[in-house]
């Protein structure tokens, strides 16, 4: 073994440790402040704070404690010949040294000095002051603030203590340590965004405005660094659009990004720009793009979408998929840009492309989604829990919801995988406690609205599956994978979620939207696969759930669309499952049909048209707002109800008890025949004719209301024939 004499470094460390031991002994045995101060100067001379290990720092703290540095901080006088702030500087050096210990960093004696740290970092140097001492105090204060910010408890104290506004002022004034201030702001915004904006909105907006100005004008590497920084400073919508004075900020972001993306760059320069662009379209939609004129807006968005699609292809078409492991955050940002491009092409989302431009963008998006599908085919069992896979499934779901023809065969090829993946996530608990952190790693600046991983892949796939279930080939694949069984389980779960929260939000929540879409898929299966409905037990369970649940929806204006879906789907299924026990006049079945009659009968009323002085049948006020979404369901429900009449002998009596017949004839009596639309006449006729054909009491009521005359007047030939025949 080599001796210490052969190792100069080891000999030097031993000498330093012996000297430090003597100094610490002097500190512990000191009888007054002068002796402590002298010993402390020896300590700082023997070692620098950065060269002390954690154990040694703890020994220094145990020897000194907080009381002595506390006194140093408030001491205004200084020894003759020393800088005026020597005592405060020494106190700050000690606190900075102590704060590197995680336990001491959130000690109350450190936390209660946040206001002092804030005051120091934004202070101005007095005339004649020693610049080295002054800057040393600021550096030590930043070290303390940094150490505090490493703990959730410390972050809360910093925000509550006004540190965010102080850091903003330091950066705006470009004072000493302003880059430290910017890094601390990024850290606090990263973990406590809402709290920071609530406490220091005006100051943060000033910093954002300054950063955006630099971003628009800089033409060096700082421009790319600002791409990363700006992601953390973007406030939630609509802060930047509600104040006209801030539109310049959005224009600067547009200018800076266009400058980057329209240049020839390597991936390390392009990636931050794509991430910033992805965040901007996620949070602000087209508002920031519209900061420029329409032609520039179209050109810029087309450029972004093109680059995003190319990036997706470059990464996902790699058979080894190595690229995605290194920058999935960039690809998810590209997904956001592509999804926004889809909305613009489909809906004309404020930015209006020409038909040629839209066609070109759709084509390049087709190629990008082809790469996504290629990626799915290479996914292994171990990768099923990768959040990047979830993001990829979500974006394909958005594509399937809007584009029903492109890549149809390729999508059919991966349908079994998508169903299997959705089922895995639905059935299995999350296997890793740090999945949320993994999702944050994919996020566009760790924002709550884009980092939450719901584990609900079906929610994003259902709209596309609804389109597919209407077509023969993909529907057969869905059925062969027993998707209808999974869908019922999901439907049941979402109904439980909805039932527990349906009185909370004003807008439809995710569970309600999923229930509506699932009803659309089931309805497609009912119409196209009646044999499947009869064979599979799950559909009887679904019918029971619909019948038991409808009443709780009927009288809520907010849930009228869901009530329409439940009503029509239940009626359509009842036609096929009329022989099942639940439909044999049970309390549940009678309650459901009373609810169905309520929904169907309350949809129309009469109104006088003052222009031609004629009374016409119009959609009832309660239904008007949702009529565009439920009118087809209402008409289909009327047909389905009429089909149930001959199959359920007890149903006509329920109609009689509801007085629906009287209501229909009341409408017909008040209405002018020439104003009544043919499809509405046909809807009323199909119900009236079946009732007249299958129930003498109903036929009698129809005759009492001059049914034969009304049938002739409104051109209801089938009804006229039924009421003219004898039983």
């Amino acid at each position: 073994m080599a001796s210490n004499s052969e190792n100069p470094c080891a000999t030097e460390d031993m000498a330093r440790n012996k000297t430090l031991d003597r100094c610490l002994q002097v500190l512990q045995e000191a009888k007054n402040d002068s002796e402590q101060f002298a010993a402390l100067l020896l300590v700082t001379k023997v070692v620098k704070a950065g060269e002390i290990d954690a154990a040694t720092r703890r020994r220094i703290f145990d020897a000194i404690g907080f009381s002595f540095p506390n006194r140093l901080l408030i001491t205004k006088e200084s020894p003759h010949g020393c800088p005026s702030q020597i005592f405060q500087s020494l106190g700050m050096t000690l606190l900075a040294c102590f704060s590197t210990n995680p336990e001491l960093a959130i000690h109350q004696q450190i936390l209660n000095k946040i206001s002092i740290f804030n005051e120091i970092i934004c202070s101005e140097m007095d005339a004649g002051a020693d610049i080295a001492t002054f800057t040393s105090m600021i550096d030590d204060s930043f070290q303390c603030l940094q150490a505090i910010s490493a703990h959730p408890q410390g972050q809360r104290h910093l925000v509550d203590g006004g540190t965010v506004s102080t850091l903003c002022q330091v950066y705006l004034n470009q004072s000493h340590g302003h880059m430290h201030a910017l890094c601390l702001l990024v850290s606090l915004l990263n973990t406590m965004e809402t709290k920071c904006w609530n406490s220091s909105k005006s100051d943060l907006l000033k910093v954002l405005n300054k950063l955006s100005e630099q971003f628009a004008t800089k033409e060096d590497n700082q421009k790319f660094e600002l791409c990363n920084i700006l992601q953390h400073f973007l406030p939630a919508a609509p802060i930047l659009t509600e104040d006209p004075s801030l539109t310049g900020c959005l224009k600067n972001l547009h200018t800076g990004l266009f400058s980057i993306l329209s240049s020839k760059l390597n991936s390390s320069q392009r990636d931050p720009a794509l991430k910033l662009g992805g965040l901007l379209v996620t949070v602000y939609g087209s508002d920031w793009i519209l900061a420029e004129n329409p032609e520039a807006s179209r050109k810029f968005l087309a450029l972004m979408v093109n680059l995003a699609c190319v990036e997706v292809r470059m990464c996902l078409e790699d058979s080894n998929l190595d690229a995605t492991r290194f920058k999935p955050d960039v690809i998810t940002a590209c997904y956001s840009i592509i999804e926004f491009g889809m909305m613009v092409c489909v809906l004309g989302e404020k930015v209006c492309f020409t038909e040629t431009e839209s066609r070109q963008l759709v084509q390049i998006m087709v190629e990008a989604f082809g790469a996504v599908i290629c990626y799915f085919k290479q996914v292994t069992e171990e990768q099923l829990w990768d959040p990047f896979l979830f993001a990829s499934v979500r974006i394909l779901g958005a594509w399937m919801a809007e584009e029903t023809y492109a890549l149809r065969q390729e999508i059919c090829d991966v349908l079994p995988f998508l169903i299997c993946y959705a089922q895995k996530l639905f059935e299995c608990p999350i296997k890793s406690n740090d999945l949320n952190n993994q999702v944050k790693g994919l996020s566009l600046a760790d924002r709550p609205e884009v980092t939450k991983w719901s584990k609900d892949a079906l929610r994003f796939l259902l709209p596309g599956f609804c389109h597919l279930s209407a077509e023969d080939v993909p529907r057969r694949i869905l059925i062969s994978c027993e998707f209808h069984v999974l869908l019922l389980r999901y439907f049941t779960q979402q109904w439980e979620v909805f039932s527990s929260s349906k009185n909370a939000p004003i807008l439809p929540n995710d569970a309600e939207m999923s229930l509506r879409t699932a009803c659309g898929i089931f309805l497609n299966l009912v119409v196209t696969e009646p044999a499947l409905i009869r064979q599979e037990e799950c559909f009887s369970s679904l019918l029971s759930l619909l019948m038991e649940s409808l009443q709780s929806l009927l009288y809520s204006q907010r849930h009228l669309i869901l009530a329409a879906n439940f009503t029509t789907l239940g009626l359509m299924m009842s036609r096929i499952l009329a022989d099942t026990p639940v439909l044999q006049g049970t309390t549940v079945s009678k309650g459901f049909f009373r609810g169905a009659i309520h929904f169907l009968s309350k949809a129309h009323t009469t109104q006088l048209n003052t222009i031609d002085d004629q009374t016409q049948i119009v959609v009832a006020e309660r239904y008007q707002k949702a009529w565009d979404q439920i009118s087809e369901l209402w008409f289909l429900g009327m047909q389905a109800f009429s089909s149930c009449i001959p199959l359920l002998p007890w149903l006509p009596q329920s109609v009689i008890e509801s007085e629906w017949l009287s209501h229909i004839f009341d409408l017909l009596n008040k209405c002018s025949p020439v104003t009544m639309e043919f499809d509405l006449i046909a809807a009323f006729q199909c119900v009236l004719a079946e009732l007249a054909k299958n129930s003498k009491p109903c036929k009698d009521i129809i005759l009492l209301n001059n049914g034969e005359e009304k049938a002739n007047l409104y051109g209801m030939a089938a009804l006229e024939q039924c009421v003219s025949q004898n039983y």
Side-chain angles (χ1 to χ4, degrees):
M1 180 180 294
S3 65
N4 286 338
S5 62
E6 297 173 357
N7 189 339
C9 292
T11 303
E12 186 179 339
D13 288 343
M14 289 179 64
R16 185 188 293 117
N17 289 336
K18 287 181 180 179
T19 306
L20 181 60
D21 288 341
R22 288 197 297 272
C23 293
L24 292 177
Q25 185 177 358
V26 171
L27 272 173
Q28 290 172 320
E29 295 175 355
K31 297 182 177 60
N32 53 53
D33 286 353
S34 296
E35 292 182 6
Q36 271 197 323
F37 182 59
L40 197 55
L41 288 176
L42 288 174
V43 171
T44 56
K45 187 176 181 180
V46 171
V47 291
K48 297 178 181 178
E51 297 174 351
I52 306 174
D53 60 25
T56 304
R57 286 194 294 269
R58 184 71 198 200
R59 288 175 61 203
I60 295 174
F61 170 74
D62 291 338
I64 300 172
F66 281 113
S67 58
F68 186 56
N70 287 347
R71 292 204 304 276
L72 289 173
L73 284 177
I74 61 175
T75 301
K76 301 298 182 183
E77 299 178 357
S78 60
H80 178 69
C82 293
S84 60
Q85 295 176 309
I86 185 64
F87 287 133
Q88 294 98 321
S89 176
L90 187 56
M92 280 305 310
T93 299
L94 289 172
L95 291 177
C97 176
F98 298 161
S99 71
T100 57
N101 182 305
E103 294 179 2
L104 296 179
I106 53 174
H107 191 285
Q108 194 58 41
Q109 288 285 351
I110 296 286
L111 296 177
N112 64 19
K113 293 178 180 59
I114 287 176
S115 60
I116 296 176
F117 304 149
N118 291 345
E119 183 180 347
I120 290 173
I121 64 174
C122 67
S123 62
E124 296 183 4
M125 190 171 68
D126 297 332
D130 181 68
I131 187 170
T133 303
F134 176 75
T135 57
S136 175
M137 287 180 62
I138 292 176
D139 291 339
D140 288 335
S141 295
F142 272 115
Q143 184 173 331
C144 291
L145 293 171
Q146 185 68 49
I148 293 170
S149 71
H151 305 268
Q153 176 187 347
Q155 295 158 7
R156 290 191 294 272
H157 277 83
L158 290 175
V159 177
D160 293 339
T163 301
V164 174
S165 291
T166 301
L167 294 171
C168 289
Q169 290 307 313
V170 171
Y171 184 76
L172 291 169
N173 296 333
Q174 296 288 285
S175 307
H176 178 75
H178 65 275
M179 290 309 296
H180 285 303
L182 188 61
C183 291
L184 259 176
L185 281 171
V186 167
S187 176
L188 291 172
L189 285 167
N190 196 28
T191 55
M192 306 195 73
E193 180 187 19
T194 302
K195 199 171 177 65
C196 287
W197 279 100
N198 288 341
S199 67
S200 308
K201 177 181 173 181
S202 60
D203 292 314
L204 286 169
L205 285 173
K206 291 175 184 176
V207 173
L208 174 58
N209 199 49
K210 185 178 184 68
L211 291 171
S212 72
E213 288 174 356
Q214 295 173 347
F215 184 56
T217 56
K218 294 285 184 181
E219 293 299 335
D220 53 20
N221 283 334
Q222 189 178 352
K223 196 180 194 78
F224 305 109
E225 294 169 4
L226 285 166
C227 269
N228 286 318
I229 293 170
L230 281 165
Q231 294 173 48
H232 302 273
F233 275 88
L234 284 179
I239 291 177
L240 290 183
T241 53
E242 64 187 0
D243 186 346
S245 66
L246 297 173
T247 55
C249 181
L250 290 173
K251 186 171 183 177
N252 286 332
L253 294 171
H254 182 289
T255 301
L257 263 183
F258 185 77
S259 173
I260 292 177
L261 294 176
S262 58
S263 303
K264 189 173 182 179
L265 306 169
N266 59 43
S267 61
S268 64
Q269 296 169 322
R270 185 174 58 251
D271 291 350
L274 289 172
K275 289 177 67 176
L276 180 59
L279 178 59
L280 281 164
V281 297
T282 298
V283 179
Y284 280 93
S286 59
D287 291 329
W288 68 286
I289 298 175
L290 292 171
E292 290 289 351
N293 61 67
E295 184 178 352
S297 299
R298 294 202 316 272
K299 183 178 179 181
F300 177 53
L301 180 56
L303 173 65
M304 272 210 308
V305 174
N306 268 278
L307 289 174
C309 289
V310 169
E311 192 70 31
V312 169
R313 289 189 63 191
M314 287 173 58
C315 291
L316 299 187
E317 286 180 351
D318 177 8
S319 59
N320 294 321
L321 292 180
D322 288 335
T324 61
R325 294 193 181 96
F326 288 109
K327 53 180 190 179
D329 52 340
V330 178
I331 303 303
T332 53
C334 291
Y335 286 166
S336 296
I337 295 170
I338 293 170
E339 185 171 3
F340 182 73
M342 286 165 45
M343 288 195 310
V344 171
C345 290
V346 173
L347 305 174
E349 176 74 14
K350 296 184 181 179
V351 183
C352 295
F353 288 122
T354 65
E355 185 176 345
T356 301
E357 289 170 334
S358 291
R359 191 163 52 248
Q360 291 172 342
L361 280 180
V362 169
Q363 181 54 45
I364 195 170
M365 283 190 272
V366 166
E367 295 170 358
F369 282 108
V372 174
I373 292 172
C374 179
Y375 160 62
F376 289 152
K377 293 178 179 179
Q378 301 173 63
V379 170
T380 63
E381 183 75 21
E382 293 72 26
Q383 294 174 310
L384 288 178
W385 291 95
D386 185 347
F388 177 70
L389 174 58
F390 183 85
S392 301
V393 169
R394 181 192 179 281
I395 188 67
L396 184 66
W399 170 262
M400 292 191 302
E402 301 298 343
E403 175 53 58
T404 59
Y405 294 106
L407 295 172
R408 181 48 44 89
Q409 184 55 53
E410 290 83 352
I411 288 173
C412 286
D413 291 342
V414 294
L415 263 183
F417 165 78
L418 294 174
I419 295 169
C420 176
Y421 174 72
Q423 185 166 349
K424 287 277 188 184
L425 263 61
F426 177 71
E427 293 178 342
C428 301
I430 296 176
K431 297 179 181 179
S432 173
N433 291 329
D434 67 346
L435 267 179
N436 287 334
N437 291 330
Q438 292 182 39
V439 175
K440 280 191 174 184
L442 294 180
S443 74
L444 309 173
D446 304 329
R447 306 175 73 82
E449 63 266 30
V450 290
T451 59
K452 190 176 180 182
W453 190 43
S454 65
K455 205 185 68 166
D456 184 2
L458 274 171
R459 175 160 64 93
F460 301 110
L461 291 171
L462 287 184
F465 283 3
C466 192
H467 292 314
L468 294 174
S469 64
E471 300 180 22
D472 293 341
V473 174
R475 184 173 63 251
R476 283 196 292 270
I477 297 173
L478 291 173
I479 294 171
S480 67
C481 293
E482 296 192 334
F483 175 69
H484 50 285
V485 178
L486 172 62
L487 186 59
L488 174 61
R489 294 170 59 195
Y490 180 75
F491 188 91
T492 304
Q493 181 217 55
Q494 292 297 296
W495 173 251
E496 292 172 357
V497 172
F498 170 78
S499 298
S500 64
S501 62
K502 64 183 176 184
N503 295 322
I506 296 177
L507 296 174
N509 57 26
D510 292 338
E512 180 171 0
M513 296 305 295
S514 293
L515 288 168
R516 291 185 196 175
T517 312
C519 283
I521 297 174
F522 282 129
L523 198 55
N524 285 339
L525 294 177
V526 169
V527 171
T528 59
E529 304 286 343
L532 178 72
I533 308 304
R534 295 188 187 93
Q535 294 166 6
E536 294 284 342
E537 182 62 31
C538 67
F539 290 103
S540 295
S541 301
L542 172 61
L543 180 59
S544 296
L545 175 59
L546 295 171
M547 288 185 167
E548 293 166 2
S549 308
L550 178 61
Q551 290 290 344
S552 66
L553 298 172
L554 281 175
Y555 303 99
S556 170
Q557 177 69 34
R558 287 162 45 195
H559 305 308
L560 182 61
I561 297 174
L562 187 59
N565 276 277
F566 273 41
T567 300
T568 302
L569 179 57
L571 291 172
M572 292 290 287
M573 293 182 70
S574 296
R575 295 159 52 249
I576 300 171
L577 300 176
D579 294 334
T580 57
V582 72
L583 284 167
Q584 305 311 307
T586 62
T587 302
V588 171
S589 62
K590 287 185 176 180
F592 169 77
F593 275 89
R594 279 197 300 272
I597 291 170
H598 177 89
F599 168 75
L600 296 172
S601 66
K602 301 298 182 182
H604 294 89
T605 186
T606 55
Q607 176 179 291
L608 178 64
N609 188 331
T610 55
I611 297 177
D612 55 14
D613 200 31
Q614 290 185 326
T615 300
Q616 57 189 22
I617 297 178
V618 297
V619 176
E621 182 179 358
R622 180 170 176 261
Y623 287 64
Q624 285 176 3
K625 189 174 181 180
W627 191 245
D628 285 345
Q629 298 181 70
I630 67 173
S631 59
E632 289 186 12
L633 291 170
W634 186 87
F635 283 106
L636 186 58
M638 290 288 282
Q639 293 177 23
F641 189 93
S642 66
S643 298
C644 289
I645 293 170
L647 302 174
L648 304 174
W650 50 268
L651 185 53
Q653 182 59 35
S654 295
V655 174
I656 293 172
E657 293 171 1
S658 71
E659 299 183 348
W660 187 15
L661 286 172
S662 299
H663 177 69
I664 291 175
F665 280 103
D666 186 51
L667 293 175
L668 297 176
N669 287 331
K670 294 178 179 178
C671 174
S672 172
V674 296
T675 66
M676 193 167 177
E677 297 178 357
F678 176 77
D679 56 353
L680 188 58
I681 294 174
F684 284 147
Q685 178 178 226
C686 69
V687 172
L688 293 172
E690 288 296 337
L691 287 170
K693 191 187 304 180
N694 293 278
S695 168
K696 187 175 185 307
C698 286
K699 180 179 179 180
D700 291 342
I701 294 173
I702 292 171
L703 289 171
L704 284 173
N705 283 277
N706 298 317
E708 191 169 1
E709 177 186 339
K710 294 299 178 189
N712 180 268
L713 186 62
Y714 283 91
M716 301 181 182
L719 175 61
E720 187 175 8
Q721 182 179 359
C722 288
V723 295
S724 64
Q725 294 176 346
N726 294 322
Y727 274 89

